[in-house]
Amino acid sequence: MRGDLLDVRELKVVFYTYRGIIKALNGVELWMNHEERLGLIGETGCGKSVTSLSIMGLIEQPGEIISGDVYFEGKSMQKMSMEELHDMRGKKISMIFQEPVSALNPVMRIGFQVAESISRAKDIKIKEAYPEVLKMLELVGLDSKRTASLYPHELSGGMAQRAMIAMALSSNPKLLIADEPTSALDVTIQAQIMELLDELVREMGNAVILITHDMGVAAEFCDKIAVMYAGNVVERASTVDIFEEPLHPYTKGLLKAVPKIGQSKELVGITGTVPDLVNPPTGCRFHPRCPYAMNKCSQKMPPLIEAKPGHHVACYLYTQEGEHNAN
Amino acid sequence: MPTEVKTETLLSVENLKKYFPVKRGAFRRLLYVRAVDDVTFQVPKESVFAVVGESGSGKTTLGRTVLRLIEPTSGKIIYKNEDFTKISLKSLRIFRRKMQIISQDPYNSLHPRKLVKDIIGEGLKIHFHMSSNEILDTVKETLERVGLREEHMFRYPHEFSGGQRQRIATARAIVLKPEFLVLDEPTSALDVSVQAIILKMFKDLKSSLSLTYLFITHDLAVVDYMSDYVAVMYLGQIMEMGTKEDVFNNTAHPYTILLMNSIPVPDPRHKNKKMIPKGEIPSSINPPSGCRFHTRCPYAKEVCKKEEPKFVKISKGHFVKCHFPIIE
């Protein structure tokens, strides 16, 4: 088994819309171990969020998993009953979102919402959960008594995200999925939240999938990084390898486009646009924008292979066939 | 290094204030949001002057007030030796041609039911009284300038991606041959691979059309890439201002330092212990007394709570608003 906590195998997800069938995930391969921090990076519409929803078992109409499976601690989620799934969500996997204020229930006090998630995680009554609520709110750096009695609209974005983290970690889940947790926040508040998350997760030993489009946030927080493009994981390696020896042309392009303080180099963007997933390009979905594209690239999607120990890439530049073609 | 920056001033802003009235509390008391509170700066001709700040710092209000899209509460805006605040609305139109704005959200800034040619050409009709054939020719030429093609003229905004829409917004602005552009977070809604291309386009247009930019952003890395001069805003006031080298390499204000520390570095080997401003950004309705940053500043002393620091010059062209600037 590739990852002892999570193994996503050839996951294909489609959404049926009036425009046609959106092929959102095109055989995603993703795996991770306990206590690992995996960064899922990619641009708008690459399928980062759909991947995380699949892991939570939350793909609903008009979406459908058409093939592949998600194994959580070795168990197939496709074969799990509704009760088992229900039990897994919130207890073993929890999630925090980009817009913390809208992810909270606007008509319930923060204390009640945290208590609710604690009571579910520990199978106790909501009233009995209150001492734990104060403890959790304190842990995330909030003034616990005061915050517990507030409504979500009375909190700033940073405070609301702290409250969300308190809810998500109250069950001490095996896996925390953080979907762009700081994208809506200011940079100083982002730094506070990422530091908090780093400390808490280190103490509690949770594995984290951090979904982000910010290469800086991923570089600082994650051990491993998976790069997604148009519904595929195109590269997966340790954070250092991704930043220092990227293999996939898309990853290389992405890194050249990121502005960095104190670097005098010109930025280079990636020409072309992200494909429409109703009519995705054949073969490798990056080939129309790829400077190294070969004939083979438009015919068949390259498999995710281990090009170097621990460094996986889906590109014909690193397969025997590809080298043959290139010459 | 800013290559041969000309010292002639194009835009000079003096003690600019913009207060928005709001009614708050049980008695609907009249209070003011001090969005821009006593701001002074000069934008040299053909330079990129960046205004950087977090949300609520007043950077967007500043950009709009400078163009009089919002009327200032008080203060002067001097554009090429003429007091822009005193010009009648009628003659404002002549200035408007020379001063254009490109806003953050390319999804809302383009009229959804107009063709691209009409979006770009409307200003030509108003300002240059061109015939429709002339307009079509000019629009075509301008589209090519921003990296689009002739055939895009007869399409609607929804047919374009975010990056392309920002190109259309740019074409609409530069078609009038402006001198001064306010770029209000022009790439914040775009993916990073597209951002790089759009920023490059702004750089190229600046040199080929001799433009001056007021570049508003929250991203210091983009500031470093684009600008010659930087003003760092916090709660409606400029905390530090100077050339890019001054602000980035001889940083004097604690807020600027902490802001730079907060930025995540896209380099996994860079793992220094961060110093981050504590607490939340206060409200600009009731800003802290004294120095507005004292509630979050690690170096704050008694005097910072009581007395507002002056905006002082610490070296040529380098200004800072702090009682205890960090000077090496």
Side-chain angles (χ1 to χ4, degrees), chain A residues 226-294:
Chain A
V227 181
M228 287 193 73
Y229 182 78
N232 286 103
V233 170
V234 293
E235 185 163 3
R236 183 194 186 278
S238 71
T239 306
V240 174
D241 281 350
I242 288 281
F243 278 88
E244 291 177 2
E245 287 172 67
L247 295 179
H248 199 281
Y250 176 65
T251 315
K252 288 181 185 171
L254 207 54
L255 287 170
K256 279 186 202 148
V258 179
K260 232 162 115 178
I261 289 184
Q263 111 180 332
S264 48
K265 266 189 285 175
E266 277 295 319
L267 297 179
V268 188
I270 304 173
T271 49
T273 51
V274 177
D276 178 9
L277 295 182
V278 173
N279 278 310
T282 54
C284 171
R285 288 184 174 183
F286 187 58
H287 86 261
R289 302 173 77 188
C290 181
Y292 309 101
M294 309 171 262

Side-chain angles (χ1 to χ4, degrees), chain B residues 17 42 46 61 66 117 196 215 226 262 284:
Chain B
K17 289 185 184 173
Q42 275 95 36
E46 289 179 40
T61 308
V66 160
K117 75 169 171 71
F215 193 95
M226 286 295 290
S262 307
S284 46

Side-chain angles (χ1 to χ4, degrees), chain A residues 22 143 288 313 319:
Chain A
I22 298 175
D143 174 355
V313 63
T319 63

Side-chain angles (χ1 to χ4, degrees), chain A residues 100-118 126 129-130 132-134 136-138 140 142-168 170:
Chain A
V101 179
S102 44
L104 291 164
N105 185 337
V107 297
M108 295 287 180
R109 292 179 199 275
I110 298 297
F112 179 83
Q113 298 190 48
V114 179
E116 208 178 12
S117 70
I118 293 171
I126 287 185
Y130 270 93
E132 187 85 355
V133 170
L134 298 182
M136 282 315 292
L137 289 176
E138 215 127 283
V140 295
L142 290 169
D143 174 355
S144 58
K145 284 218 173 92
R146 200 181 140 255
T147 316
S149 64
L150 295 177
Y151 288 98
H153 74 269
E154 296 174 284
L155 302 182
S156 68
M159 287 161 77
Q161 196 57 287
R162 284 174 194 266
M164 283 292 295
I165 293 172
M167 286 169 71
S170 61

Side-chain angles (χ1 to χ4, degrees), chain A residues 21-284:
Chain A
I21 301 168
I22 298 175
K23 291 120 187 151
L25 298 187
N26 181 33
V28 164
E29 299 272 350
L30 198 70
W31 59 95
M32 66 191 295
N33 293 318
H34 283 97
E35 301 191 19
E36 207 167 56
R37 297 175 181 190
L38 177 73
L40 203 53
I41 61 177
E43 297 179 287
T44 316
C46 70
K48 307 183 293 263
S49 294
V50 176
T51 305
S52 71
L53 290 179
S54 315
I55 294 168
M56 294 283 281
L58 287 175
I59 296 293
E60 285 176 347
Q61 289 290 340
E64 192 193 348
I65 295 177
I66 52 168
S67 69
D69 204 346
V70 176
Y71 296 87
F72 187 76
E73 295 190 305
K75 272 175 94 177
S76 158
M77 281 178 60
Q78 292 284 69
K79 292 191 190 118
M80 278 187 202
S81 65
M82 279 311 272
E83 285 79 50
E84 279 176 295
L85 272 175
H86 198 65
D87 211 39
M88 193 184 70
R89 292 195 282 254
K91 282 189 192 173
K92 288 181 176 164
I93 306 180
S94 27
M95 194 160 175
I96 54 179
F97 299 92
Q98 178 170 357
E99 295 276 352
V101 179
S102 44
L104 291 164
N105 185 337
V107 297
M108 295 287 180
R109 292 179 199 275
I110 298 297
F112 179 83
Q113 298 190 48
V114 179
E116 208 178 12
S117 70
I118 293 171
S119 80
R120 245 182 61 82
K122 306 210 161 150
D123 290 319
I124 51 175
K125 291 207 177 90
I126 287 185
K127 274 191 182 160
E128 293 163 12
Y130 270 93
E132 187 85 355
V133 170
L134 298 182
K135 213 183 94 204
M136 282 315 292
L137 289 176
E138 215 127 283
L139 199 64
V140 295
L142 290 169
D143 174 355
S144 58
K145 284 218 173 92
R146 200 181 140 255
T147 316
S149 64
L150 295 177
Y151 288 98
H153 74 269
E154 296 174 284
L155 302 182
S156 68
M159 287 161 77
Q161 196 57 287
R162 284 174 194 266
M164 283 292 295
I165 293 172
M167 286 169 71
L169 291 182
S170 61
S171 59
N172 197 3
K174 296 262 169 57
L175 174 63
L176 174 70
I177 301 177
D179 189 352
E180 305 259 13
T182 57
S183 303
L185 304 176
D186 273 308
V187 56
T188 55
I189 310 296
Q190 161 171 291
Q192 291 171 359
I193 296 288
M194 290 314 294
E195 195 182 61
L196 173 75
L197 209 53
D198 181 62
E199 275 169 22
L200 291 179
V201 167
R202 179 163 302 150
E203 247 164 61
M204 299 171 79
N206 322 86
V208 182
I209 295 181
L210 178 73
I211 298 175
T212 180
H213 65 272
D214 187 323
M215 305 291 267
V217 170
E220 291 191 347
F221 187 83
C222 303
D223 320 314
K224 300 270 166 60
I225 284 179
V227 181
M228 287 193 73
Y229 182 78
N232 286 103
V233 170
V234 293
E235 185 163 3
R236 183 194 186 278
S238 71
T239 306
V240 174
D241 281 350
I242 288 281
F243 278 88
E244 291 177 2
E245 287 172 67
L247 295 179
H248 199 281
Y250 176 65
T251 315
K252 288 181 185 171
L254 207 54
L255 287 170
K256 279 186 202 148
V258 179
K260 232 162 115 178
I261 289 184
Q263 111 180 332
S264 48
K265 266 189 285 175
E266 277 295 319
L267 297 179
V268 188
I270 304 173
T271 49
T273 51
V274 177
D276 178 9
L277 295 182
V278 173
N279 278 310
T282 54
C284 171

